[in-house]
Amino acid sequence: MYVAIAGNIGSGKSTLTALLAEAFGLKPIYEAASENPYLEDFYRDMRAYAFPSQVFFLARRVRQHLLEVNGKAPVVQDRTLYEDALVFAQHLYREGLLSPRDWRTYLELFHSVAPALRKPDLLIYLRAGLPTLRKRIAKRGRPFEQNLPDRYLLGLNALYEELMAGWNLSPVHVVEADQVDFVERAEDREALLAALKPLLRP
């Protein structure tokens, strides 16, 4: 079983990854945000650091797949390769922060490696509006995330909806994170785990 968790910055992916790992015996695989040497520079100057930051995330995601996801191991992954490319990198391109040449090169890398990687058995999409994202970003307190423009987060949300509308690699379970607060409310966590249990059977 390979469960992938998709969602915007601050939607609760890491929290849900940990919950599912503990509840269902899955190996958690987290995004390498803290390891990205470009990330703080990227948030300060997106145009200058968009390409190296996205290439780092792509390389690290491929490495995670080769070492931990590909094969038969039961895993839950915080964010997917597809979001890296079709949400984050594409948003930077649409906003003019990633040049057409860099976007073409990035897509070439993505399309070269994606077919060789294990596809999710289930995708859980955490849909969260701007107020929820802002609240959770503030709570986790990463300094370089605090001044993200609303336009950036809303643009990512729009591309997430596009990705989900065309997703055909696995079943999708949508969690309305504005109404289901599994981060703060124990009753919401228990209800969500109960709803997911039938979907996570091998």
Side-chain angles (χ1 to χ4, degrees):
M1 172 64 71
Y2 166 29
V3 181
I5 301 180
N8 206 339
I9 300 164
S11 59
K13 297 181 305 301
S14 297
T15 299
L16 187 56
T17 297
L19 287 173
L20 296 186
E22 181 177 356
F24 300 107
L26 305 171
K27 180 178 181 179
I29 301 172
Y30 295 99
E31 186 176 34
S34 63
E35 300 169 32
N36 188 333
Y38 301 101
L39 196 57
E40 289 193 42
D41 291 325
F42 166 74
Y43 282 128
R44 188 178 66 250
D45 187 345
M46 290 186 177
R47 190 182 305 276
Y49 292 97
F51 185 69
S53 181
Q54 288 303 133
V55 168
F56 176 88
F57 276 128
L58 181 65
R60 187 53 57 91
R61 199 83 64 188
V62 171
R63 183 180 178 187
Q64 286 179 338
H65 268 269
L66 295 177
L67 295 179
E68 301 179 274
V69 178
N70 278 12
K72 302 292 185 181
V75 299
V76 55
Q77 185 178 33
D78 172 356
R79 188 166 283 145
T80 68
L81 182 86
Y82 308 98
E83 295 161 77
D84 287 337
L86 303 177
V87 176
F88 285 84
Q90 184 165 202
H91 178 61
L92 292 168
Y93 169 65
R94 288 186 179 182
E95 290 293 299
L97 299 169
L98 195 63
S99 73
R101 180 176 62 178
D102 286 348
W103 173 234
R104 289 193 298 270
T105 299
Y106 181 90
L107 277 184
E108 180 70 21
L109 288 169
F110 168 72
H111 288 303
S112 295
V113 299
L117 303 181
R118 183 182 182 186
K119 306 299 186 292
D121 297 301
L122 174 68
L123 182 74
I124 301 172
Y125 171 44
L126 303 180
R127 178 184 282 135
L130 186 61
T132 298
L133 298 176
R134 284 288 182 207
K135 176 183 174 183
R136 293 180 181 171
I137 288 170
K139 182 175 180 180
R140 72 183 179 188
R142 294 175 182 168
F144 52 84
E145 291 180 346
Q146 301 309 308
N147 296 317
L148 284 174
D150 289 352
R151 177 185 176 92
Y152 182 70
L153 295 171
L154 291 170
L156 294 176
N157 265 357
L159 276 165
Y160 265 109
E161 293 300 320
E162 286 186 28
L163 179 63
M164 293 303 109
W167 183 264
N168 61 6
L169 299 179
S170 70
V172 177
H173 181 85
V174 179
V175 177
E176 300 293 349
D178 294 336
Q179 286 79 44
V180 180
D181 189 355
F182 57 87
V183 176
E184 297 288 345
R185 294 200 295 261
E187 61 270 27
D188 284 4
R189 286 196 294 274
E190 292 169 7
L192 178 58
L193 291 174
L196 291 173
K197 185 175 182 179
L199 304 177
L200 296 177
R201 291 172 180 158

